[in-house]
Amino acid sequence: MDDIEADDFPQDELTNRELVKSPVNIELWTDDKGVPTEIFFIKSNRKCLKRLRDAMLLHNWQEAAVYYNSYIQALEARNSIKVHPTASEITWRIGTEILRHLPNATAEDFNAVNEQLKNNGVKNFSKICLEHCFHLLLNGQMEEAKRQLSVGESWRYGNFSIAQGDTKKLIHAYSGFMDYLIWCKKKSSTAGTDEASRNNEMHSYFRHASVTLKDIISQPGIWDPFVLGYVNMLEFYNDEDGALQILENYAYNKDFPTNPNAHVYLYQFLKRHNAPDDRLIGSLRILRTVVPSHELMLDLCSLLLSTRLMCDLEEAFSVSMDLLEFSSWKNDMKAWSCLLNIIKLLKRKKRKTFVLKEWDARRPLWFSFHFRIHYARVDLMENASLLLIKSDVLKALGERFLEYRRYAQNLKRKSESKRKECALRKSKKRKVKKKRKDEDQM
């Protein structure tokens, strides 16, 4: 392997598959029995991998394919030497990356390399099957992708297949998800909803998908796409109770890991089916304990305001202030408008003491986070509307003598001056037009 040179393989004479699979003669150091020594294996592979890395960093993909081919053949020739699973996975991913960048690479090239590496690195057989399926899906080969999943699901190789139990579980899950995708495809090609619901072929895919998906999502884990797919099918066949049960178990089952999306899906389902506000508020309150900065917190504020209860109004005030303490929300006009409206409502309801108490607890943080002079200058240049509404919030909170508000007052004065000038110009134009009209009539 030490004397491998890229010039031995003219680029214009080799196809992509030949670059990866063409034979290479390698001089071997062997023991008395003719088996390559482990020392030679390590030294030569290190040198080959170094050249492979350099070629990839320089984007010399044709040359990288030659070195990669040599490395794969070395691994196959020395199957008596144990290869770490991580090294096997890196080898497979390097090959995929090289093929992705080779010009005119085809789906057959990817299939050939994946098939070769499945058998070369059985420790990653299931994972390669799964990612091969993803590649086929991206290229629109749904039937071939399903076949790959079937191969991965039925594969057995002693302890190696047992060790890949988690990946095989994923393969099982995606096998059901493939049935769901085919169901969606059949549904979109059917004329109407009534006809689709009576379609026997669609119902067959629904049964296959539902059995697999129901089994998978009953096990603790993060199963977002599978849950959404299953719920979508249940809603289509008007099984709303079954869909709700699935979503509630996914969101509230203590054996499952914490997953904000589960509460989002439940809230969206309840909203789609016109659930009462109490249930919507309950689902969003739980989401708030998990992700207090979630975008649906504005929905929670709106729902709390709609109840017209004083305790809910006070809770909405806390929710909106919590939201604005996250950097992702500090320049959001909707969040500031929501806070300003809530403050005005509370003051109208004679709850000014509560507002000031909450404000006093947060005042040091908010001055440094929202109302520094630097932010006033930035807001003035980038978003004058934000400057004005933040100034109105300060005014509503009783903070009247701040530099931040002075910037807003100056902006208001300039805006008022421009407005008056504009009105004056329009008035003059009207007078000129009227004068000309009178002269024409004379």
Side-chain angles (χ1 to χ4, degrees):
M1 186 176 292
D2 291 355
D3 57 353
I4 297 173
E5 294 295 339
D7 294 339
D8 296 339
F9 305 94
Q11 295 181 3
D12 56 349
E13 297 179 4
L14 295 173
T15 65
N16 294 330
R17 196 182 304 179
E18 287 170 342
L19 280 168
V20 180
K21 300 196 71 175
S22 57
V24 177
N25 295 321
I26 302 173
E27 183 182 351
L28 303 178
W29 294 350
T30 60
D31 57 17
D32 296 338
K33 297 180 180 179
V35 177
T37 63
E38 187 170 351
I39 294 175
F40 167 75
F41 174 78
I42 294 172
K43 286 184 177 181
S44 60
N45 274 7
R46 280 179 180 172
K47 188 171 183 178
C48 185
L49 282 173
K50 182 179 181 300
R51 292 185 182 182
L52 173 57
R53 180 199 63 190
D54 293 343
M56 292 181 71
L57 289 174
L58 294 172
H59 293 186
N60 294 330
W61 301 108
Q62 302 277 12
E63 183 180 344
V66 175
Y67 289 126
Y68 180 74
N69 173 59
S70 302
Y71 182 68
I72 288 295
Q73 289 188 72
L75 291 180
E76 290 177 343
R78 296 161 184 78
N79 54 17
S80 60
I81 299 174
K82 293 182 179 180
V83 180
H84 196 275
T86 305
S88 179
E89 180 176 351
I90 291 171
T91 304
W92 150 52
R93 294 194 182 279
I94 287 173
T96 305
E97 188 68 15
I98 291 172
L99 269 181
R100 282 182 61 244
H101 288 88
L102 278 175
N104 304 319
T106 64
E108 287 72 20
D109 299 327
F110 280 91
N111 293 343
V113 170
N114 277 307
E115 290 300 328
Q116 181 186 14
L117 292 174
K118 282 178 194 174
N119 299 312
N120 183 38
V122 292
K123 296 176 183 178
N124 291 294
F125 188 97
S126 298
K127 193 178 290 187
I128 294 175
C129 281
L130 188 58
E131 297 226 8
H132 191 189
C133 166
F134 295 155
H135 173 76
L136 292 167
L137 281 175
L138 288 173
N139 287 276
Q141 298 176 267
M142 191 174 289
E143 294 299 328
E144 180 61 23
K146 186 167 176 57
R147 191 188 72 79
Q148 282 295 326
L149 288 177
S150 298
V151 170
E153 200 170 3
S154 60
W155 177 72
R156 299 289 184 275
Y157 198 86
N159 291 332
F160 287 113
S161 55
I162 296 173
Q164 297 175 40
D166 290 340
T167 309
K168 289 182 74 65
K169 185 190 294 185
L170 269 179
I171 288 176
H172 181 56
Y174 275 103
S175 180
F177 195 68
M178 284 293 300
D179 288 323
Y180 164 69
L181 293 178
I182 296 171
W183 178 86
C184 289
K185 190 176 179 180
K186 299 290 183 185
K187 185 182 79 166
S188 62
S189 63
T190 307
T193 304
D194 293 336
E195 184 180 345
S197 61
R198 294 192 298 267
N199 188 302
N200 290 330
E201 188 179 9
M202 269 185 64
H203 205 71
S204 175
Y205 280 110
F206 162 70
R207 286 197 304 272
H208 291 151
S210 60
V211 169
T212 304
L213 294 179
K214 187 175 182 180
D215 175 53
I216 284 295
I217 64 181
S218 65
Q219 305 173 44
I222 306 295
W223 304 110
D224 290 359
F226 310 102
V227 169
L228 288 178
Y230 190 32
V231 167
N232 184 25
M233 291 191 295
L234 291 175
E235 283 188 278
F236 180 80
Y237 290 110
N238 298 319
D239 188 3
E240 294 177 9
D241 292 337
L244 180 60
Q245 185 179 357
I246 291 294
L247 289 170
E248 285 181 336
N249 180 69
Y250 192 50
Y252 301 142
N253 193 323
K254 293 182 179 179
D255 295 332
F256 281 57
T258 303
N259 181 9
N261 288 342
H263 302 285
V264 174
Y265 301 149
L266 177 59
Y267 168 75
Q268 291 172 341
F269 177 86
L270 293 172
K271 190 175 180 180
R272 275 199 307 274
H273 294 279
N274 301 315
D277 287 352
D278 288 347
R279 294 198 69 181
L280 296 175
I281 290 171
S283 65
L284 289 180
R285 278 173 173 159
I286 297 174
L287 176 61
R288 186 190 173 205
T289 62
V290 182
V291 187
S293 63
H294 198 281
E295 59 185 5
L296 287 176
M297 292 305 101
L298 288 178
D299 284 24
L300 176 58
C301 288
S302 299
L303 288 167
L304 290 169
L305 293 177
S306 67
T307 66
R308 300 189 179 186
L309 297 175
M310 187 57 64
C311 59
D312 287 342
L313 183 57
E314 292 175 354
E315 184 182 352
F317 180 60
S318 299
V319 170
S320 62
M321 294 199 82
D322 286 346
L323 202 59
L324 286 165
E325 289 178 358
F326 290 91
S327 58
S328 57
W329 284 95
K330 66 184 298 184
N331 296 324
D332 189 89
M333 287 291 294
K334 289 182 180 179
W336 283 103
S337 299
C338 178
L339 175 62
L340 181 60
N341 292 334
I342 293 171
I343 293 173
K344 289 178 179 178
L345 277 172
L346 284 168
K347 291 176 76 174
R348 238 181 274 141
K349 300 281 187 180
K350 311 297 184 184
R351 294 294 294 162
K352 185 177 179 180
T353 306
F354 170 79
V355 172
L356 294 178
K357 182 180 178 182
E358 189 78 17
W359 169 241
D360 287 340
R362 302 175 187 254
R363 194 172 185 271
L365 171 63
W366 278 54
F367 274 171
S368 61
F369 192 60
H370 291 299
F371 301 117
R372 291 166 57 189
I373 302 300
H374 167 70
Y375 295 140
R377 292 170 184 156
V378 172
D379 293 342
L380 181 62
M381 290 186 293
E382 296 182 357
N383 192 346
S385 299
L386 180 63
L387 174 69
L388 293 175
I389 197 169
K390 288 169 71 175
S391 175
D392 290 341
V393 168
L394 282 173
K395 182 179 178 181
L397 291 170
E399 300 289 346
R400 299 183 181 276
F401 305 105
L402 284 176
E403 285 293 327
Y404 192 95
R405 287 202 61 209
R406 288 176 192 168
Y407 276 86
Q409 289 166 355
N410 290 337
L411 179 62
K412 285 180 180 178
R413 281 195 291 269
K414 289 179 181 178
S415 300
E416 184 66 21
S417 176
K418 287 181 180 179
R419 188 185 65 78
K420 288 180 179 179
E421 288 177 6
C422 184
L424 186 60
R425 283 196 299 270
K426 287 181 179 179
S427 177
K428 287 181 178 178
K429 286 181 180 179
R430 283 196 297 267
K431 287 180 180 179
V432 170
K433 286 181 180 179
K434 185 178 179 182
K435 186 177 179 181
R436 286 177 181 174
K437 187 177 180 180
D438 293 342
E439 289 175 352
D440 292 340
Q441 289 176 353
M442 291 175 64

